[in-house]
Amino acid sequence: MDESNRSSSAPALFSLAGHPVRWLLLSELAESDRQVRELTQRVGQPQSLISYHLGRLRAARVVTMRRSSADRRDAYYSLDLVRCRKLLTEAGHALHPGLALDPPEPNLDLRTGHRTRVLFLCTGNSTRSQLAEALLRDAAGDAVDVASAGSRPKAVHPNAVRAMRERGIDLSGATSKHFRRFSRRRFDYVVTLCDKVREVCPEFAGDPKRIHWSIADPGIEEGTDEETYPAFQRTATEIESRVQFLLYLITQDPTRRS
């Protein structure tokens, strides 16, 4: 390699993830969106230090912050997995062309005999959890048993149906359900997409893995359905990305091979 073409500085991801505290923060946020106090407890460092490193990660646009819809004094931090994958690809290519990342599509082997059970929850079960259920079912087919519910169910929003129709998924027959309906069901993953429902989420049998996605409710946007539809499109795009990364977790879950 021509040394004149080499950069004297390491790729951004190396310097970001190279610090042990930031690596722990990235690892925690790769599992679930979390609040500062949760990160402080789980990483075992003072809040001031956690806040400093979160600031570094936010400045690099690897981590984002959103005020909690349950308590505006709280905030949830999220890892932008799409940007992380981009930075990983750039870092690998900078070191050696053969290290450029091209992850295979997640492949769920139906021959394992175990259908992974996933429950998505939000408050109304009218948009976010419905979108997640539809997108995961479309992506995973019979390999995943997926459902959605809410703490205060209301009718499925027409813009949610429209957003799925654009993706070739028919949500017109979907109905909202209370999470009590699933209280005796066993799940492998319970994913909350709403800060409010996370606070009231009950325990489920089988000790499922709990994941939180702090996603704003597009249904509270002011305006007509036509005026607010772009918010639903953005929400569908975010959930679609998160569902794809959830599929990678499910693919690697050792219980599927047991």
Side-chain angles (χ1 to χ4, degrees):
M1 180 184 294
D2 185 352
E3 293 192 8
S4 63
N5 293 329
R6 290 178 177 171
S7 172
S8 60
S9 59
L13 190 64
F14 289 161
S15 58
L16 285 171
H19 193 284
V21 172
R22 289 199 289 273
W23 175 252
L24 288 173
L25 290 173
L26 291 171
S27 300
E28 289 293 335
L29 293 175
E31 292 186 353
S32 176
D33 297 357
R34 302 195 189 279
Q35 299 167 331
V36 170
R37 63 174 178 269
E38 293 175 309
L39 291 169
T40 299
Q41 294 169 355
R42 298 176 75 92
V43 174
Q45 295 292 337
Q47 182 170 327
S48 58
L49 186 64
I50 296 297
S51 296
Y52 167 75
H53 287 295
L54 284 173
R56 291 285 304 275
L57 294 171
R58 288 183 65 196
R61 296 182 291 115
V62 171
V63 168
T64 60
M65 183 272 283
R66 193 180 72 80
R67 287 291 170 190
S68 169
S69 59
D71 184 344
R72 299 293 296 177
R73 293 172 297 180
D74 282 331
Y76 279 96
Y77 289 85
S78 306
L79 181 62
D80 188 335
L81 289 167
V82 173
R83 177 158 171 76
C84 280
R85 181 159 60 187
K86 179 177 182 293
L87 291 176
L88 273 169
T89 300
E90 292 174 351
H93 191 271
L95 190 60
H96 189 285
L99 297 178
L101 299 179
D102 185 17
E105 290 297 314
N107 181 28
L108 297 176
D109 188 354
L110 294 176
R111 293 172 299 177
T112 62
H114 175 73
R115 295 179 70 204
T116 301
R117 298 153 298 191
V118 180
L119 177 65
F120 291 108
L121 300 176
C122 68
T123 300
N125 191 214
S126 63
T127 296
R128 291 164 291 181
S129 54
Q130 292 281 357
L131 297 178
E133 177 186 358
L135 288 163
L136 180 57
R137 180 177 290 113
D138 182 68
D142 292 336
V144 173
D145 181 7
V146 57
S148 67
S151 57
R152 300 175 63 184
K154 57 184 180 181
V156 177
H157 200 290
N159 275 344
V161 177
R162 180 180 173 186
M164 288 297 93
R165 187 184 304 122
E166 285 190 348
R167 289 166 166 77
I169 300 173
D170 183 10
L171 201 61
S172 60
T175 58
S176 59
K177 304 163 289 293
H178 198 283
F179 57 46
R180 283 196 299 265
R181 178 183 296 190
F182 301 97
S183 61
R184 297 183 181 275
R185 289 266 302 272
R186 288 179 175 268
F187 293 96
D188 300 294
Y189 296 86
V190 173
V191 184
T192 51
L193 295 89
C194 167
D195 303 334
K196 292 179 181 178
V197 84
R198 189 193 190 205
E199 302 297 327
V200 299
C201 183
E203 296 295 325
F204 289 90
D207 192 26
K209 183 175 181 60
R210 298 279 290 268
I211 297 173
H212 182 57
W213 299 345
S214 181
I215 299 176
D217 182 6
I220 64 174
E221 295 282 330
E222 294 183 357
T224 66
D225 284 354
E226 190 63 34
E227 290 169 339
T228 61
Y229 183 59
F232 284 80
Q233 291 177 302
R234 291 191 297 271
T235 300
T237 298
E238 178 178 356
I239 292 174
E240 187 171 34
S241 173
R242 291 196 185 233
V243 162
Q244 286 297 316
F245 281 101
L246 176 62
L247 275 173
Y248 282 103
L249 284 180
I250 294 173
T251 301
Q252 298 301 315
D253 192 335
T255 63
R256 290 189 55 80
R257 300 185 292 274
S258 61

